[in-house]
Amino acid sequence: MIDRNALLAMPPIVTRHSLKKRDTILYALGVGEQSLDFVYEEGLRALPTMAVILGYPGFFWRDPALGADWAKILHGEQALTLHAELPAEGEIIGETCIEQIWDKGPEKGAIACVTREIRMNDGTPLATARGTTVLRGDGGCGGPADGAPAPHPIPDRAPDIRIPLATHANQALIYRLSGDLNPLHIDPGVAEGAGFPRPILHGLCTYGVVGRALLQALAGGNPARLKRMDARFSAPVYPGETIETQIWHEADGQAAFRARAVERDLIVLTNGLAEVA
Amino acid sequence: MIDRNALLAMPPIVTRHSLKKRDTILYALGVGEQSLDFVYEEGLRALPTMAVILGYPGFFWRDPALGADWAKILHGEQALTLHAELPAEGEIIGETCIEQIWDKGPEKGAIACVTREIRMNDGTPLATARGTTVLRGDGGCGGPADGAPAPHPIPDRAPDIRIPLATHANQALIYRLSGDLNPLHIDPGVAEGAGFPRPILHGLCTYGVVGRALLQALAGGNPARLKRMDARFSAPVYPGETIETQIWHEADGQAAFRARAVERDLIVLTNGLAEVA
């Protein structure tokens, strides 16, 4: 069981990240991208969702000192605000804090809100990433049950745009080389222990695939234009499935979105809010 | 045009390579491998053909000082002798020499024989890699036309074993992150300039795919058992094609092999000689 008070009192984790073009390309391949803009070192640009791996401290929940039932952890939500176009290479600093831990009880588990400020070495702000981690085995740790920000509603009508993107059987194997080595995404034994028939795709890999669809549909493929992308993970995706992003235009420069695993006709990511410039 | 005498007089290129498990996994994914033995850091082993990227000096022919018509370069042959099972991580040294340059005339080009001794930092020998580079635009540079070792003959009967392995549309994009950034394998303009309708797969990626088939068919999947793998590239492979390795048993522990691009029914690699312990 986690020690909620100790976790909330932890000092920020400062992570220095020397980003190479090879890493930027590997991230793009990890989320299934193949356009030369994002995978070729000549004129290389970074996908905006790459912010989620910049200055990333790794899957720190596996540290026995934290007491978490780490094999039962899932990614709950991911919010990202982009302050500038991400560089394709450079010296980057991430500062990660556990901001809040909600307790949904022994059945549902605990939910930790983890935020990360990402900036260049010279202080230039790049992005703010805010994620929730669902600690399915740590419910009953104490703390409030409520208070999390309300999720963005999905309109009750057919989507304006649908963009299906394929994933490949080796998608998680590539994606994990960007830093999230949680064995849930590769080791059949660990996946089984966590209640899945086989390893599941990283939530943040799904998030990156959906980000590619938003970039294409809302920002004309220009990574500088995506400013915000918030979403909630609602079901795991298995590598090899097709992820269909569904988009609803809302106010100018704003859209709601969700994503469906086509082969199982299952919503895997929802409550999406995107903003473009 | 290359200056043949200057190239032969070049001192060896010494390349220090700090191999990480991530690199070993990335190489395996680059040649389409997905077995946990080769892509998961727990119990990770290296594919034997990874020797071709260890202590690799990069695509040095692009250096304008060498005078080569680099966009017209193709890989001719690759021979590999393994002295030990390759480590999944460690400090490795490669020492690369241009051993000989044959001149096949202005029509056919020049052929450079490049050898590399690969060893651990402590001197332990790992492998000897010997490749030929076909400089299609540098024929007429002088030097002997003949003297290259005779290629291993392929038996005149049906193969004993056939192993088809798929490649993926992004195979060259992944493979090139192991160090061979020749734009021929990603840039449509460069590919067209070299006479190809689209970017082709690295010869050494094909070689790695064939190595996986040999490992499976001849060595029971045990990378310590593959001792030698020599072959000649006979036609380019396009990413996404299926590579069928055809194998003939010969003397004990020895086999001949070649490979076919299934979709075009074309032999892409031939004169193969494999030895297993």
Side-chain angles (χ1 to χ4, degrees), chain A residues 177, chain B residues 21-29 38-41 44:
Chain A
L177 298 183
Chain B
K21 284 185 175 178
R22 184 191 192 218
D23 303 315
T24 297
I25 294 170
L26 191 52
Y27 172 79
L29 292 172
F38 303 111
V39 300
Y40 184 23
E41 59 280 4
L44 183 66

Side-chain angles (χ1 to χ4, degrees), chain A residues 66-78:
Chain A
L66 301 185
D69 188 356
W70 63 265
K72 294 212 174 122
I73 280 179
L74 291 178
H75 206 113
E77 294 160 295
Q78 183 65 47

Side-chain angles (χ1 to χ4, degrees), chain A residues 52-73:
Chain A
V52 302
I53 62 142
L54 294 181
Y56 173 68
F59 184 66
F60 60 79
W61 294 104
R62 205 174 173 174
D63 177 354
L66 301 185
D69 188 356
W70 63 265
K72 294 212 174 122
I73 280 179

Side-chain angles (χ1 to χ4, degrees), chain A residues 1-11 61 65-66 98-103 110 140-144:
Chain A
M1 179 71 71
I2 52 169
D3 177 340
R4 180 176 180 276
N5 291 330
L7 281 171
L8 290 174
M10 269 197 342
W61 294 104
L66 301 185
I98 300 179
E99 232 179 38
Q100 179 59 284
I101 299 175
W102 293 284
D103 183 7
C141 64

Side-chain angles (χ1 to χ4, degrees), chain A residues 22-23 25-26 29 33-34 36 39-41 62 168-170 173-174 176-178 181 183 186-188 190, chain B residues 22-23 25-26 29 33-34 36 39-41 168-170 173-174 176-178 181 183 186-188 190:
Chain A
R22 185 191 191 218
D23 303 316
I25 294 169
L26 191 52
L29 293 172
E33 182 61 61
Q34 294 187 43
L36 290 197
V39 299
Y40 184 23
E41 60 280 4
R62 205 174 173 174
H168 188 257
N170 70 2
L173 304 181
I174 304 177
R176 68 199 302 277
L177 298 183
S178 284
L181 298 179
I186 187 169
D187 190 319
V190 171
Chain B
R22 184 191 192 218
D23 303 315
I25 294 170
L26 191 52
L29 292 172
E33 182 61 61
Q34 293 186 43
L36 291 198
V39 300
Y40 184 23
E41 59 280 4
H168 187 258
N170 70 2
L173 305 181
I174 305 177
R176 68 199 301 277
L177 298 183
S178 285
L181 297 179
I186 187 169
D187 190 318
V190 172

